[in-house]
Amino acid sequence: MSPAASKAVLIADDDTLVVEVVKNKLRRQGYRVASATDGMSALAAVTETRPDLVILDAMMPVHDGYHVLREMKADPVLAAIPVLMLSARKLESDRLTALALGADGYLLKPFSADELAVCVRSFFS
Amino acid sequence: MLIAVWIVSIGFMLISLSAMAVLIIVRAVTAARSMRQAEWRAEALERIFKMLAEDSTVQLPARTPRGYTRLLTGLASDLLALLRGLEHGQLVEIFQAAGVREILIGDLRHWNARLAQAAAENLRHFRSPESVAALRQTLTHRTPEVRLAAALSLAEMKEAPPVEELVRILDIGSAEQSRLAVELFRRLAHREFETILAIAADRSRPALLRLMALEALAEQRDPRLVAVTSAIARDETGDIASQAVRFLGALGDRSVAPIISAGLQSADWRVRVQAATAAGRLGLGELSEQLTELLDDDAWWVRHRAGEALGSLREGGIEQLRAVSAGGEDRSRRAASLALDTRSVVARG
């Protein structure tokens, strides 16, 4: 059985093209992928479905990715879900903030879909 | 009389009904067009993802409507900006086979300047003699933004004309004052560092042009920049001097301490702000007394930056802040306390 089988991933990004690219790539790898396009619906989806991995954009409407990350890590039920940030924010301070808040990885946009797939797989191997 | 009123009412009713019918038709046509665009987009994306996954050479559906070619160029622009690595190369091939490069070359002459600018920006992905020739012609476009976009793409393709020629053609420093001009210098710095440095050092040039050249070079931390930047930091104009002082802080050379010290005493608050920031970045502990005095500056921003700078000094800075926060004047005590609080929040974060 591949590590991807039966694993659920949530991609939260307000750019629908990013969502489509990530969904397509991960579904081809065998993951179940759901999506959200703002911070509030991302938090609701995480609470409701408890995915195995969350891929979070930093800049989203309603609540940004950092807020979602902070809320998840403050909730004992959700804190263990790994979070991979996928962001266009290149500054070292942005990366450090995300990691300090509990993110488990940080990928920069523009990104390589192959690299993303490898990164996602590493969470389940 | 009543008949006349009745006829006029009927007339108004007919006009209203006609207007409503036109609006309904326009709405229906727009909705149908949006649906068609959405279907085309989904179909094109599905094929693109399939081609990326299988590395196949299946072509995108051949359609000629203008809406479809716009959709393709839009998708090309978005996807090429989003993805890097192997997929990027594959995408370039896919869109090239679909004729996107030719569409973009045609768009360079479009009456709509925004479309021409987007075409100039996106052509950088499709390197070919035809693209380079078309972009070079676009350097004389009537719109400055389009000219600059063409120059940036040429610079990325390593096909740009010499810096001096670009400065003249694009009129950088007077007409072009955007961040993009700095980016253009940055892309050309590997090839013409000396020329760009000479532009920055030339006092006969417009100050903005010199600053742009300096900013583009500053991140390279080349020791040759120190002398030029130090000279500009003595400029009488506050906004020019303050930017030069900011770059001095980024160069990482502590020998500029006397210039930073002079900046801390400048009559212009913008220079004092940047000098305080630079003192902190360079760790100039010998300026801690001056920084402490600035905790009582008239400008809030100067007091804030002086506090931050003292907080970042390894030796003595924190002690100075603690001493002032315990017993300084009201204004400086608040600035010192704020700097200490900020430090402790950052340390806890």
Side-chain angles (χ1 to χ4, degrees):
Chain A
M1 193 184 235
S2 82
S6 81
K7 297 293 183 190
V9 178
L10 176 78
I11 163 76
D13 199 310
D14 59 333
D15 183 339
T16 51
L17 191 60
V18 175
V19 170
E20 283 174 280
V21 168
V22 172
K23 262 186 172 176
N24 184 275
K25 187 73 185 178
L26 296 184
R27 279 182 178 161
R28 283 178 190 276
Q29 310 273 318
Y31 297 98
R32 287 181 290 123
V33 190
S35 61
T37 51
D38 65 68
M40 190 181 273
S41 54
L43 258 181
V46 172
T47 311
E48 197 175 313
T49 63
R50 303 216 191 136
D52 299 295
L53 173 71
V54 177
I55 302 174
L56 258 187
D57 179 26
M59 291 175 284
M60 284 188 292
V62 192
H63 296 314
D64 66 16
Y66 296 116
H67 179 90
V68 175
L69 182 57
R70 203 178 290 117
E71 292 287 315
M72 280 180 64
K73 295 302 169 184
D75 184 331
V77 179
L78 308 177
I81 299 173
V83 175
L84 173 64
M85 297 293 289
L86 181 60
S87 171
R89 294 168 77 148
K90 293 185 170 73
L91 291 179
E92 191 186 355
S93 56
D94 292 320
R95 185 188 293 258
L96 289 176
T97 303
L99 296 176
L101 288 172
D104 301 90
Y106 196 99
L107 275 185
L108 270 180
K109 293 178 192 167
F111 64 100
S112 151
D114 287 333
E115 189 184 349
L116 175 80
V118 171
C119 206
V120 167
R121 198 182 312 140
S122 73
F123 284 102
F124 305 122
S125 56
Chain B
M1 179 66 186
L2 277 174
I3 290 174
V5 170
W6 184 74
I7 290 171
V8 169
S9 303
I10 293 285
F12 276 128
M13 187 190 74
L14 287 174
I15 290 169
S16 305
L17 283 174
S18 308
M20 272 174 64
V22 168
L23 285 173
I24 289 168
I25 291 167
V26 167
R27 195 180 172 117
V29 168
T30 311
R33 189 184 295 157
S34 300
M35 272 178 63
R36 197 169 60 237
Q37 288 268 341
E39 281 168 15
W40 283 347
R41 185 179 184 277
E43 187 187 30
L45 264 181
E46 197 182 316
R47 288 211 185 200
I48 290 167
F49 289 147
K50 194 167 158 47
M51 284 187 264
L52 287 178
E54 297 169 2
D55 201 10
S56 63
T57 51
V58 181
Q59 294 230 333
L60 287 170
R63 287 201 183 89
T64 47
R66 203 171 54 183
Y68 186 69
T69 56
R70 283 280 152 264
L71 175 94
L72 268 193
T73 51
L75 267 183
S77 163
D78 294 346
L79 279 171
L80 289 169
L82 183 66
L83 290 170
R84 60 175 176 79
L86 283 175
E87 294 103 340
H88 186 93
Q90 283 175 272
L91 282 170
V92 170
E93 282 179 23
I94 290 168
F95 286 118
Q96 193 147 308
V100 169
R101 185 184 66 196
E102 285 69 29
I103 297 168
L104 292 175
I105 288 176
D107 279 352
L108 289 175
R109 292 186 300 273
H110 202 280
W111 61 268
N112 183 336
R114 289 177 70 92
L115 216 53
Q117 185 182 347
E121 285 165 3
N122 289 319
L123 257 183
R124 74 184 194 277
H125 300 298
F126 300 94
R127 196 193 167 112
S128 71
E130 293 83 8
S131 304
V132 171
L135 284 168
R136 286 206 169 137
Q137 282 184 358
T138 310
L139 287 175
T140 54
H141 195 276
R142 66 185 187 283
T143 311
E145 289 79 11
V146 181
R147 295 199 297 266
L148 190 54
L152 280 162
S153 287
L154 284 168
E156 192 163 315
M157 293 171 157
K158 302 200 176 2
E159 295 283 357
V163 167
E164 287 288 11
E165 193 181 329
L166 282 175
V167 169
R168 183 179 52 77
I169 294 173
L170 303 176
D171 203 13
I172 298 175
S174 50
E176 319 282 359
Q177 294 165 1
S178 70
R179 304 283 309 164
L180 291 177
V182 175
E183 180 57 31
L184 178 63
F185 280 138
R186 201 172 279 143
R187 288 186 192 178
L188 296 168
H190 71 281
R191 191 183 76 186
E192 294 182 74
F193 183 95
E194 300 280 355
T195 312
I196 299 172
L197 186 64
I199 290 172
D202 186 351
R203 293 182 73 87
S204 68
R205 303 267 194 165
L208 272 168
L209 171 64
R210 296 171 67 201
L211 275 178
M212 285 181 201
L214 207 55
E215 183 170 359
L217 299 179
E219 66 189 34
Q220 302 214 1
R221 291 182 155 218
D222 191 292
R224 286 172 291 180
L225 288 166
V226 175
V228 176
T229 316
S230 301
I232 301 178
R234 296 188 190 96
D235 198 287
E236 298 86 23
T237 323
D239 53 353
I240 302 288
S242 65
Q243 291 304 309
V245 169
R246 180 163 72 91
F247 300 143
L248 279 180
L251 289 175
D253 186 331
R254 291 170 54 94
S255 72
V256 299
I259 298 161
I260 303 294
S261 172
L264 292 173
Q265 298 166 55
S266 168
D268 192 306
W269 68 272
R270 292 166 299 183
V271 181
R272 297 199 300 279
V273 165
Q274 297 298 347
T277 307
R281 286 187 77 171
L282 295 169
L284 300 174
E286 62 267 42
L287 303 183
S288 60
E289 287 296 331
Q290 274 183 274
L291 288 169
T292 307
E293 285 171 25
L294 289 184
L295 290 173
D296 194 33
D297 196 278
D298 287 336
W300 179 87
W301 203 231
V302 177
R303 299 199 297 276
H304 178 62
R305 289 296 187 208
E308 276 187 345
L310 280 167
S312 64
L313 294 180
R314 283 189 188 163
E315 293 156 20
I318 300 289
E319 287 69 28
Q320 296 269 30
L321 282 176
R322 285 196 182 122
V324 175
S325 73
E329 294 295 318
D330 188 41
R331 202 161 58 175
S332 49
R333 196 172 65 239
R334 280 204 304 269
S337 301
L338 178 65
L340 286 169
D341 289 347
T342 308
R343 270 186 63 79
S344 64
V345 167
V346 171
R348 275 202 307 274

